[in-house]
PDB file of all heavy atoms in Angstrom:
ATOM      1  N   GLU Z  50      -4.248  35.208   9.865  1.00  0.00           N
ATOM      2  CA  GLU Z  50      -4.626  34.463  11.068  1.00  0.00           C
ATOM      3  C   GLU Z  50      -6.133  34.634  11.332  1.00  0.00           C
ATOM      4  O   GLU Z  50      -6.790  35.479  10.737  1.00  0.00           O
ATOM      5  CB  GLU Z  50      -3.840  34.968  12.285  1.00  0.00           C
ATOM      6  CG  GLU Z  50      -2.325  34.809  12.164  1.00  0.00           C
ATOM      7  CD  GLU Z  50      -1.844  33.358  12.263  1.00  0.00           C
ATOM      8  OE1 GLU Z  50      -2.640  32.475  12.619  1.00  0.00           O
ATOM      9  OE2 GLU Z  50      -0.664  33.123  11.941  1.00  0.00           O
ATOM     10  N   GLU Z  95      -4.291  28.515   6.029  1.00  0.00           N
ATOM     11  CA  GLU Z  95      -3.293  29.167   6.901  1.00  0.00           C
ATOM     12  C   GLU Z  95      -2.375  28.107   7.506  1.00  0.00           C
ATOM     13  O   GLU Z  95      -1.175  28.283   7.580  1.00  0.00           O
ATOM     14  CB  GLU Z  95      -4.001  30.013   7.972  1.00  0.00           C
ATOM     15  CG  GLU Z  95      -3.134  31.139   8.538  1.00  0.00           C
ATOM     16  CD  GLU Z  95      -2.142  30.682   9.585  1.00  0.00           C
ATOM     17  OE1 GLU Z  95      -2.511  29.870  10.459  1.00  0.00           O
ATOM     18  OE2 GLU Z  95      -0.977  31.135   9.534  1.00  0.00           O
ATOM     19  N   ASP Z  96      -2.961  27.001   7.952  1.00  0.00           N
ATOM     20  CA  ASP Z  96      -2.223  25.771   8.281  1.00  0.00           C
ATOM     21  C   ASP Z  96      -3.205  24.613   8.159  1.00  0.00           C
ATOM     22  O   ASP Z  96      -4.384  24.826   7.888  1.00  0.00           O
ATOM     23  CB  ASP Z  96      -1.544  25.852   9.666  1.00  0.00           C
ATOM     24  CG  ASP Z  96      -2.438  26.376  10.769  1.00  0.00           C
ATOM     25  OD1 ASP Z  96      -3.653  26.128  10.717  1.00  0.00           O
ATOM     26  OD2 ASP Z  96      -1.919  27.042  11.700  1.00  0.00           O
ATOM     27  N   THR Z  99      -4.017  22.126  13.840  1.00  0.00           N
ATOM     28  CA  THR Z  99      -3.431  22.765  15.015  1.00  0.00           C
ATOM     29  C   THR Z  99      -3.803  22.007  16.275  1.00  0.00           C
ATOM     30  O   THR Z  99      -4.986  21.731  16.510  1.00  0.00           O
ATOM     31  CB  THR Z  99      -3.936  24.217  15.151  1.00  0.00           C
ATOM     32  OG1 THR Z  99      -3.726  24.889  13.922  1.00  0.00           O
ATOM     33  CG2 THR Z  99      -3.218  24.951  16.280  1.00  0.00           C
ATOM     34  N   LYS Z 124       2.919  26.370   7.400  1.00  0.00           N
ATOM     35  CA  LYS Z 124       2.971  25.124   8.166  1.00  0.00           C
ATOM     36  C   LYS Z 124       1.859  24.148   7.805  1.00  0.00           C
ATOM     37  O   LYS Z 124       0.749  24.545   7.487  1.00  0.00           O
ATOM     38  CB  LYS Z 124       2.832  25.442   9.654  1.00  0.00           C
ATOM     39  CG  LYS Z 124       3.872  26.402  10.166  1.00  0.00           C
ATOM     40  CD  LYS Z 124       3.340  27.146  11.381  1.00  0.00           C
ATOM     41  CE  LYS Z 124       3.891  28.537  11.442  1.00  0.00           C
ATOM     42  NZ  LYS Z 124       3.231  29.368  12.457  1.00  0.00           N
ATOM     43  N   GLN Z 127       0.716  22.424  13.374  1.00  0.00           N
ATOM     44  CA  GLN Z 127       1.112  23.477  14.309  1.00  0.00           C
ATOM     45  C   GLN Z 127       0.768  23.010  15.724  1.00  0.00           C
ATOM     46  O   GLN Z 127      -0.375  22.634  15.985  1.00  0.00           O
ATOM     47  CB  GLN Z 127       0.329  24.747  13.936  1.00  0.00           C
ATOM     48  CG  GLN Z 127       0.276  25.844  14.960  1.00  0.00           C
ATOM     49  CD  GLN Z 127       1.422  26.831  14.833  1.00  0.00           C
ATOM     50  OE1 GLN Z 127       2.063  26.942  13.780  1.00  0.00           O
ATOM     51  NE2 GLN Z 127       1.695  27.542  15.901  1.00  0.00           N
ATOM     52  N   ASN Z 129       0.325  24.097  19.460  1.00  0.00           N
ATOM     53  CA  ASN Z 129       0.184  25.237  20.368  1.00  0.00           C
ATOM     54  C   ASN Z 129       0.020  24.803  21.817  1.00  0.00           C
ATOM     55  O   ASN Z 129      -0.361  25.612  22.660  1.00  0.00           O
ATOM     56  CB  ASN Z 129      -1.000  26.114  19.942  1.00  0.00           C
ATOM     57  CG  ASN Z 129      -0.722  26.831  18.622  1.00  0.00           C
ATOM     58  OD1 ASN Z 129       0.379  26.748  18.085  1.00  0.00           O
ATOM     59  ND2 ASN Z 129      -1.713  27.525  18.104  1.00  0.00           N
ATOM     60  N   ASN Z 151       4.635  26.210  18.285  1.00  0.00           N
ATOM     61  CA  ASN Z 151       4.368  27.656  18.262  1.00  0.00           C
ATOM     62  C   ASN Z 151       5.629  28.437  18.639  1.00  0.00           C
ATOM     63  O   ASN Z 151       6.283  28.154  19.641  1.00  0.00           O
ATOM     64  CB  ASN Z 151       3.214  27.972  19.213  1.00  0.00           C
ATOM     65  CG  ASN Z 151       2.497  29.246  18.809  1.00  0.00           C
ATOM     66  OD1 ASN Z 151       2.762  29.833  17.757  1.00  0.00           O
ATOM     67  ND2 ASN Z 151       1.580  29.688  19.653  1.00  0.00           N
TER      68      ASN Z 151
HETATM   69  C1  ADA S   1       1.218  32.043  14.376  1.00  0.00           C
HETATM   70  C2  ADA S   1       0.836  32.946  15.521  1.00  0.00           C
HETATM   71  C3  ADA S   1       0.355  32.141  16.703  1.00  0.00           C
HETATM   72  C4  ADA S   1      -0.747  31.176  16.295  1.00  0.00           C
HETATM   73  C5  ADA S   1      -0.302  30.341  15.140  1.00  0.00           C
HETATM   74  C6  ADA S   1      -1.427  29.450  14.645  1.00  0.00           C
HETATM   75  O1  ADA S   1       2.365  31.305  14.692  1.00  0.00           O
HETATM   76  O2  ADA S   1       1.962  33.725  15.901  1.00  0.00           O
HETATM   77  O3  ADA S   1      -0.130  33.005  17.700  1.00  0.00           O
HETATM   78  O4  ADA S   1      -1.925  31.885  15.931  1.00  0.00           O
HETATM   79  O5  ADA S   1       0.139  31.156  14.072  1.00  0.00           O
HETATM   80  O6  ADA S   1      -1.930  28.638  15.438  1.00  0.00           O
HETATM   81  O7  ADA S   1      -1.804  29.561  13.476  1.00  0.00           O
END
Side-chain angles (χ1 to χ4, degrees):
E50 299 289 350
E95 204 280 317
D96 47 32
T99 308
K124 303 154 213 170
Q127 164 90 20
N129 291 355
N151 205 7

